[in-house]
Amino acid sequence: MKTIHPYLRFIGYVVVVMLLNAAGSTLFARFDLTANRMYSLSEVSRSVVRTLSEPLTIHVFFSRNLPAPHNNTERYLHDLLEAYGVYANDRFSYVFHDVDMKQATAEAEKNLRLAESYGITPVQIQVVENDEITFQKAYMGLVILHGDLIERIPAVTNTDGLEYKLTTAIQKLNNKISALLRIKDPIQVRLFYSPSLSAIAPYIGLKDLSRLPEDIKAMVDRLNARLYNKLAFSHIDPAQSGLSDEEFSARQIMTLKWPAIDNGRVPAGRGSIGLLIEHDGKTKSIPLLQVFNVPILGTQYSMPELQRIEDQINAQAESLIDINERLGYLADHGSPSLYGPPPMGPQPQRTPESLDIFRQIADDTYSLKEIRLKDGPIPDEFHTLVIAGPTEPFSDYELFQIDQFLMKGNNLAVFLDMFQESRAQGMFQQGGTHEPVSTGLEKLLAHYGIQVESSIVMDESCYKQQVPQQFGGGERPLYFAPLIKNETIVKDHDFMKTIKGLIGYRMSPLTLNEERLKETGLKGSYLFSSSDKSWEMKPPIRLNPMMIAPPGQAERGRKWLACLVEGELPSYFAGKPLPEKPKAPEPEATEEDDATTPGDPANSGTKPTEPAKPKPPAVDLSGVTPEGARIDKGKPGKIFLTTSSALLTDVILDEAGRSPNAIWVMNTIDYLNNRENVARMRGKEQRFNPIAEVSPAVKTGIKFLNVAGLPILVILAGLGVYAGRTARKRRIQQRFQRG
């Protein structure tokens, strides 16, 4: 057989290598062996770039030859954008611009001007060269362009949470434009209004009710100018809709029935009213008639302001196509405001009770809005309402609003405090006395099987406060700030699986009433607890670290600190009378109103006395019965409860939103809003991986292996080699002896 010439063989090798490289540039596979698949795009990131309906371009501005670890950040960003490109459609693109501040080339000047035009400025980084620490300025930012909209990430200084930042920024832009352009069928705005209601409207205080169809149509026309004409309005007579009373009630369309009133001027009849926003099989309702009881006056009826109705139509339309998911926050009843108290002279930028950081990290994926129960029912534009640290009692009417919010398939995130500090104190400071707080939420939670104890959990596994040297130095345990460790965190839910540790503060123990849960058909689950070294402090509560002494082992044990209840929640008010709405306080009479001076009113400065108008004759409205004003059995919903509002404050959360507490808070809210895919994406880059605690005996064993293990292994290996050589010599000798 003729041999191949060496040169031809070499050329063949080169061709094979070139073909393999060409194939590898288009056909490749990546294997991510990290526990949380840190270096793989999450499903939500793939979906965001896969569904782009308008061109999106990312301009990345990085300075050349950056030192470690910043050069790794640039490399990781390049790989991440390349991964986006693999799963994206042809509307996604990215460009890297080298912004070299040291060279005055034409290209560098062009990139520098481009970065400045987009608002990207240099950041200062630390450089270690020749055993010296120096500082230099470098460009490390990017800008995302989507249509006429711009989103900036001015400083990409590390890889921590980078995919989450990019995906949420892209999603925010995509939701504003693409969602509306993507839908084919219009969003239906259906007004159910019975003409018969016009007859009874003046008697129930709603004179302008007959103009409602025209007003709603005008609202839709105005909104269409902003929503790409994606709304379609229709006015439906409920009597001709073919829907039963049960179907009206399920759609939260209120029906009024009345007997003949005002001496027969208004004949007996019935009428229905409600507004439905429908799209792609999903329906949102906007109540147009509110019913409440007022002491002495009895049942009263009211209609929301037209501007409020228009805002809700817009919000519900956005919610149906997932634009700007909204998150409600209860801002009255003593809860801290999202925006802090009004400025009254010089103040620090943040206080221990401030929620600035929570508001900032929540704004990445939600549109936060403060809700006040005194303003009326909770709008249906929210899937979740956050209640944090209320200190003032809720009336039954206000509890009814929260209850009915849940009945519509919505969710609650409750951060409940059972005690209120009697005087202002900073976080983790030596505290004074704490008074019990009872708001009425406790009975609502107990109805759903959640019982909160009136005590504070102490734990030997806790945050350690550094004591200043002038006071002796060292560490001081703050037993009321327990450290929640990995082994006490329940991993049954996906949004909890990446959480390896948390820190609590002034938390109360809670229990799930299994009997009540079984009776109502709800599913309850615990989320995390304190350690086995914890105990309870019961009133009087004094949180002075110097005065707290741990009890004996018999009084210690794990205390549950957070839970979740899910299912078709039954109404707390089922079978009970409709709660009365508290009567608004009457304005106090002023001295000007009370002043009476004889003489000409024009000269005396007093108001002329007008003759009293005759009151219309009283009409008996007791026969009017509202149906659909209350929901007794709700759609599937969720209630999350933890026993400390401090977990939302600036002292606990970090500004970057990457601490375990911040990730856990946002993961929980995402779970309540059915966005577990976002929670998984946020949590997969969680870098907090504490070492599991072991007993002193195990620690001693590990130390012994570290010190003596390697020499012992070397000795054993040497003995093995010696034994092998000896055996080999023996075999050779035996072979020659036989020969």
Side-chain angles (χ1 to χ4, degrees):
M1 182 176 178
K2 189 174 181 181
T3 60
I4 301 176
H5 195 278
Y7 290 112
L8 293 178
R9 186 185 296 114
F10 174 74
I11 294 173
Y13 291 156
V14 172
V15 171
V16 170
V17 171
M18 292 176 64
L19 291 175
L20 288 175
N21 284 333
S25 63
T26 55
L27 302 174
F28 64 92
R30 301 175 68 177
F31 299 95
D32 189 350
L33 302 180
T34 56
N36 299 330
R37 299 188 62 80
M38 186 184 304
Y39 297 100
S40 301
L41 274 188
S42 60
E43 183 56 38
V44 65
S45 298
R46 301 176 190 179
S47 176
V48 165
V49 294
R50 191 186 293 131
T51 56
L52 287 173
S53 56
E54 290 288 310
L56 184 144
T57 303
I58 299 179
H59 291 273
V60 183
F61 300 93
F62 254 81
S63 296
R64 181 184 299 177
N65 300 325
L66 292 178
H70 304 295
N71 55 351
N72 294 327
T73 301
E74 181 183 8
R75 189 178 303 113
Y76 175 81
L77 178 58
H78 196 286
D79 292 342
L80 183 61
L81 293 178
E82 186 177 354
Y84 277 112
V86 170
Y87 296 101
N89 54 31
D90 56 358
R91 295 181 177 88
F92 176 85
S93 61
Y94 64 93
V95 182
F96 271 77
H97 300 280
D98 179 16
V99 186
D100 194 341
M101 302 179 65
K102 297 180 180 179
Q103 296 185 5
T105 62
E107 183 181 0
E109 290 290 338
K110 177 183 176 183
N111 293 338
L112 186 62
R113 288 194 300 271
L114 186 62
E116 291 176 350
S117 67
Y118 286 133
I120 303 297
T121 57
V123 296
Q124 186 170 270
I125 61 174
Q126 181 177 291
V127 180
V128 180
E129 291 180 340
N130 301 324
D131 297 330
E132 291 183 357
I133 297 178
T134 59
F135 295 91
Q136 72 177 54
K137 289 186 176 181
Y139 280 86
M140 304 173 64
L142 61 86
V143 60
I144 307 171
L145 306 181
H146 192 41
D148 294 331
L149 303 178
I150 298 177
E151 188 75 18
R152 301 176 185 84
I153 303 180
V156 185
T157 55
N158 56 62
T159 62
D160 195 17
L162 188 52
E163 181 193 348
Y164 174 75
K165 294 176 184 177
L166 272 175
T167 299
T168 52
I170 295 172
Q171 192 173 37
K172 187 182 296 183
L173 294 176
N174 191 29
N175 286 345
K176 289 180 180 178
I177 298 178
S178 302
L180 285 169
L181 298 177
R182 191 167 56 243
I183 64 174
K184 298 179 181 178
D185 300 325
I187 302 168
Q188 299 293 330
V189 181
R190 305 184 192 276
L191 172 65
F192 289 79
Y193 177 78
S194 300
S196 57
L197 289 172
S198 300
I200 196 176
Y203 293 90
I204 60 177
L206 301 175
K207 297 180 181 180
D208 299 331
L209 193 61
S210 59
R211 295 207 308 264
L212 189 62
E214 299 175 7
D215 293 335
I216 299 294
K217 185 179 185 307
M219 293 177 193
V220 174
D221 291 340
R222 286 195 298 270
L223 288 171
N224 262 328
R226 306 199 307 262
L227 301 180
Y228 297 89
N229 291 316
K230 294 297 184 179
L231 300 182
F233 173 75
S234 58
H235 174 202
I236 301 172
D237 185 348
Q240 301 176 4
S241 65
L243 298 176
S244 65
D245 290 347
E246 291 76 14
E247 290 173 313
F248 278 141
S249 179
R251 289 167 170 80
Q252 300 169 31
I253 298 173
M254 185 177 294
T255 300
L256 290 181
K257 298 178 182 179
W258 60 89
I261 58 177
D262 199 6
N263 298 323
R265 294 179 184 176
V266 178
R270 60 178 291 164
S272 300
I273 182 172
L275 188 63
L276 298 183
I277 317 296
E278 301 174 340
H279 179 69
D280 196 22
K282 296 181 290 185
T283 302
K284 294 287 185 180
S285 65
I286 299 177
L288 297 178
L289 195 60
Q290 300 166 5
V291 184
F292 49 89
N293 285 340
V294 176
I296 302 176
L297 298 178
T299 304
Q300 299 291 305
Y301 301 84
S302 69
M303 190 178 69
E305 295 180 0
L306 294 178
Q307 184 59 50
R308 183 179 177 87
I309 296 175
E310 183 173 344
D311 292 342
Q312 290 197 37
I313 293 174
N314 182 51
Q316 296 290 28
E318 291 182 350
S319 176
L320 285 175
I321 54 178
D322 197 23
I323 294 180
N324 297 333
E325 185 80 17
R326 298 198 174 194
L327 181 65
Y329 176 84
L330 188 68
D332 55 12
H333 290 81
S335 297
S337 172
L338 284 173
Y339 304 95
M344 298 291 292
Q347 290 185 349
Q349 191 171 9
R350 287 202 176 107
T351 64
E353 297 79 17
S354 173
L355 301 182
D356 287 349
I357 292 178
F358 169 69
R359 188 185 73 248
Q360 290 170 11
I361 61 178
D363 277 342
D364 286 341
T365 51
Y366 294 95
S367 178
L368 276 169
K369 182 178 180 181
E370 291 188 338
I371 300 299
R372 291 173 175 81
L373 293 178
K374 66 179 181 181
D375 295 339
I378 303 170
D380 289 335
E381 62 199 67
F382 308 108
H383 293 306
T384 299
L385 176 67
V386 178
I387 302 177
T391 57
E392 300 170 3
F394 291 81
S395 67
D396 281 348
Y397 179 77
E398 292 167 332
L399 291 177
F400 177 72
Q401 304 307 320
I402 297 174
D403 175 90
Q404 293 299 289
F405 176 76
L406 283 171
M407 294 304 100
K408 297 173 184 177
N410 297 314
N411 315 295
L412 283 183
V414 184
F415 297 78
L416 191 66
D417 293 327
M418 297 302 292
F419 295 89
Q420 181 183 15
E421 204 162 7
S422 59
R423 58 189 178 87
Q425 291 289 333
M427 195 77 68
F428 299 154
Q429 300 296 316
Q430 299 181 9
T433 59
H434 292 70
E435 302 298 330
V437 173
S438 180
T439 63
L441 277 177
E442 300 83 10
K443 60 184 180 183
L444 199 64
L445 295 170
H447 174 72
Y448 299 118
I450 306 173
Q451 186 71 40
V452 185
E453 304 297 331
S454 185
S455 59
I456 298 291
V457 173
M458 304 287 154
D459 200 336
E460 272 199 61
S461 174
C462 61
Y463 176 83
K464 304 295 192 302
Q465 182 186 43
Q466 296 294 327
V467 179
Q469 289 296 330
Q470 59 266 33
F471 297 106
E475 293 181 335
R476 176 188 300 155
L478 300 183
Y479 298 117
F480 48 85
L483 294 179
I484 315 301
K485 298 188 176 179
N486 191 35
E487 54 267 24
T488 63
I489 297 176
V490 181
K491 309 285 186 176
D492 293 344
H493 296 87
D494 284 347
F495 74 97
M496 296 293 297
K497 287 183 178 177
T498 58
I499 306 301
K500 305 294 180 64
L502 298 167
I503 182 171
Y505 174 74
R506 209 173 62 184
M507 306 187 75
S508 300
L510 60 85
T511 54
L512 291 173
N513 187 334
E514 299 295 340
E515 239 178 74
R516 180 60 184 163
L517 291 173
K518 186 176 181 181
E519 179 184 341
T520 55
L522 300 175
K523 177 186 175 183
S525 54
Y526 293 109
L527 298 181
F528 60 80
S529 72
S530 59
S531 74
D532 294 330
K533 302 176 181 179
S534 61
W535 69 95
E536 294 182 54
M537 175 185 285
K538 297 184 178 181
I541 304 295
R542 297 185 182 276
L543 301 184
N544 188 333
M546 305 290 292
M547 306 298 293
I548 301 176
Q553 192 62 37
E555 300 180 37
R556 304 192 190 191
R558 292 176 63 175
K559 311 295 179 185
W560 293 108
L561 304 174
C563 69
L564 193 66
V565 172
E566 306 172 80
E568 296 181 357
L569 303 166
S571 174
Y572 174 76
F573 293 90
K576 301 177 182 178
L578 199 66
E580 292 184 343
K581 183 178 181 180
K583 189 176 180 181
E586 296 182 0
E588 296 181 1
T590 63
E591 294 181 1
E592 181 182 354
D593 295 332
D594 294 337
T596 56
T597 306
D600 184 5
N603 298 329
S604 62
T606 61
K607 297 180 180 179
T609 304
E610 296 181 0
K613 296 180 180 179
K615 294 184 178 179
V619 177
D620 183 14
L621 300 176
S622 60
V624 181
T625 57
E627 294 182 2
R630 175 174 65 196
I631 309 172
D632 289 340
K633 184 68 173 178
K635 300 176 182 178
K638 309 182 188 78
I639 299 177
F640 160 80
L641 171 70
T642 190
T643 52
S644 176
S645 65
L647 301 183
L648 294 181
T649 61
D650 293 352
V651 173
I652 297 293
L653 302 181
D654 67 304
E655 291 191 46
R658 302 306 303 167
S659 68
N661 274 69
I663 290 176
W664 167 70
V665 166
M666 293 311 303
N667 279 3
T668 301
I669 292 175
D670 283 338
Y671 177 76
L672 295 177
N673 283 281
N674 300 317
R675 302 173 69 179
E676 275 195 282
N677 53 356
V678 178
R680 286 192 292 269
M681 176 183 65
R682 181 189 297 105
K684 76 176 188 177
E685 296 182 20
Q686 173 60 255
R687 304 297 178 93
F688 181 68
N689 290 298
I691 300 174
E693 288 194 3
V694 294
S695 65
V698 174
K699 291 180 180 178
T700 302
I702 294 173
K703 287 180 181 179
F704 175 78
L705 289 177
N706 286 336
V707 174
L710 185 59
I712 291 175
L713 288 176
V714 171
I715 293 172
L716 292 176
L719 292 174
V721 171
Y722 175 76
R725 289 180 177 178
T726 303
R728 181 171 178 271
K729 288 181 180 180
R730 190 178 299 110
R731 288 196 302 272
I732 293 173
Q733 289 177 354
Q734 291 175 355
R735 185 181 304 170
F736 280 103
Q737 287 174 357
R738 285 197 301 268

